[in-house]
Amino acid sequence: MKRAQAVHDGISYCPACYKREFRPVPCESCGETTRTPGGRTPALCKKCRSKGRPCARCGKDTPHAALILEDGRVACASCAKHFKEPKACPVCGQLSIYLARDFKAGFTEPVCQICRRKGHITCPCCGKNRRPEGVTTDGRVVCKDCLKTDGKPWICPKCGKEGKRHSKTRCEDCYWRESVDERLSDAMALVNREWVWESFSKFMIKLADRIGAKKAALRLEKYFLFFAVLDASFDFPDAVTPDALPGCLGRKGCVVTRSPTGF
């Protein structure tokens, strides 16, 4: 077989044998038809088995696994490479798990990142590591995209402000602000009290305005731990007082200071 129709208990089945050995049965969760060896029940379909399945590395839900490990755990597309054995780069011989082809640079076989990026520059306009494409009228060596605008400041199509380009449709600040919103949405599922969620949201918005969206996004998990303690310890916001906080945080966890955001 070039490719098995199914693999069960380490045994591979071709399409004909799969249909003969695996009988259709209803999924006990959604009711959709699935197949099990000999029609064994109770059974779950592939979609239901994948619900709530965490990535073995990052812990995120992974309904579509990029890699299935020997112990049955799965890895998402971003983390799958971390479970693969490092291979030697055919150019420099360095072991790496980040081997990739680059046909534009003439690499038809997977090579390491260092070999792929030889000759690249950090573009003085956008700050990205790119191939040099030409020289602007003021003498700066820039990448292809910045050469088209002759190195002029880039205006973000999303917010209309001048900034560094993250992609063709948004600047870096817009990207990180969207990241803050996405991470806030993920954190919302872990909070039970609405007033805690509102307080945490206001705090993160003000923090992003003060220190920048990128720094705020990277620090979000750290600050969330404090609000998670409030969620678990207090029923109402009026109960959160300087005298009550040491009881749930411990005196070592309490520092008398002024909030960096003023919130």
Side-chain angles (χ1 to χ4, degrees):
M1 290 181 296
K2 290 184 178 180
R3 186 176 182 180
Q5 176 71 23
V7 178
H8 182 73
D9 289 339
I11 302 174
S12 301
Y13 295 85
C14 69
C17 292
Y18 172 73
K19 290 182 179 179
R20 184 178 65 247
E21 301 293 334
F22 288 71
R23 302 296 183 182
V25 294
C27 172
E28 65 174 337
S29 179
C30 65
E32 294 290 330
T33 300
T34 186
R35 286 179 176 268
T36 61
R40 188 184 307 160
T41 57
L44 288 174
C45 65
K46 184 177 180 181
K47 183 178 180 180
C48 292
R49 289 198 306 269
S50 302
K51 286 182 179 179
R53 184 173 59 179
C55 172
R57 182 172 182 269
C58 66
K60 293 182 179 179
D61 286 347
T62 312
H64 304 289
L67 179 67
I68 300 178
L69 305 177
E70 292 182 358
D71 57 3
R73 296 182 301 161
V74 298
C76 65
S78 299
C79 296
K81 57 180 174 286
H82 294 281
F83 293 93
K84 296 181 179 179
E85 290 293 329
K87 296 181 180 179
C89 172
V91 176
C92 66
Q94 182 72 31
L95 291 176
S96 176
I97 59 174
Y98 300 101
L99 299 181
R101 294 180 176 86
D102 192 338
F103 293 103
K104 290 183 179 180
F107 296 111
T108 57
E109 295 296 325
V111 297
C112 68
Q113 297 291 316
I114 296 176
C115 291
R116 286 182 60 208
R117 295 186 176 276
K118 280 184 178 178
H120 283 206
I121 62 167
T122 299
C123 179
C125 296
C126 65
K128 296 184 180 294
N129 188 262
R130 295 288 187 266
R131 294 187 186 89
E133 191 68 22
V135 182
T136 60
T137 53
D138 58 1
R140 292 180 295 172
V141 180
V142 296
C143 67
K144 181 179 180 180
D145 290 334
C146 293
L147 185 64
K148 294 178 181 178
T149 60
D150 196 32
K152 294 180 181 178
W154 188 74
I155 305 300
C156 175
K158 187 174 180 66
C159 65
K161 298 179 181 179
E162 180 182 320
K164 284 192 174 183
R165 182 179 67 249
H166 178 270
S167 66
K168 292 183 179 181
T169 59
R170 57 186 176 178
C171 63
E172 284 192 355
D173 190 60
C174 285
Y175 167 79
W176 284 108
R177 286 190 179 275
E178 289 177 11
S179 180
V180 170
D181 292 338
E182 291 174 1
R183 298 182 189 199
L184 277 173
S185 297
D186 293 339
M188 184 178 182
L190 304 175
V191 175
N192 296 315
R193 308 186 192 284
E194 186 176 349
W195 66 268
V196 175
W197 165 245
E198 291 178 353
S199 299
F200 183 52
S201 299
K202 291 178 182 179
F203 174 83
M204 290 306 305
I205 291 171
K206 289 192 175 184
L207 186 68
D209 291 337
R210 185 181 185 276
I211 68 175
K214 180 178 180 179
K215 289 182 178 179
L218 297 177
R219 297 180 185 180
L220 185 144
E221 291 185 8
K222 173 184 176 183
Y223 287 118
F224 175 72
L225 295 177
F226 170 77
F227 287 89
V229 171
L230 298 184
D231 185 61
S233 304
F234 301 98
D235 294 329
F236 304 100
D238 294 341
V240 184
T241 64
D243 293 330
L245 281 174
C248 58
L249 297 174
R251 294 197 175 275
K252 290 185 178 180
C254 295
V255 178
V256 179
T257 182
R258 184 176 181 180
S259 169
T261 63
F263 173 73

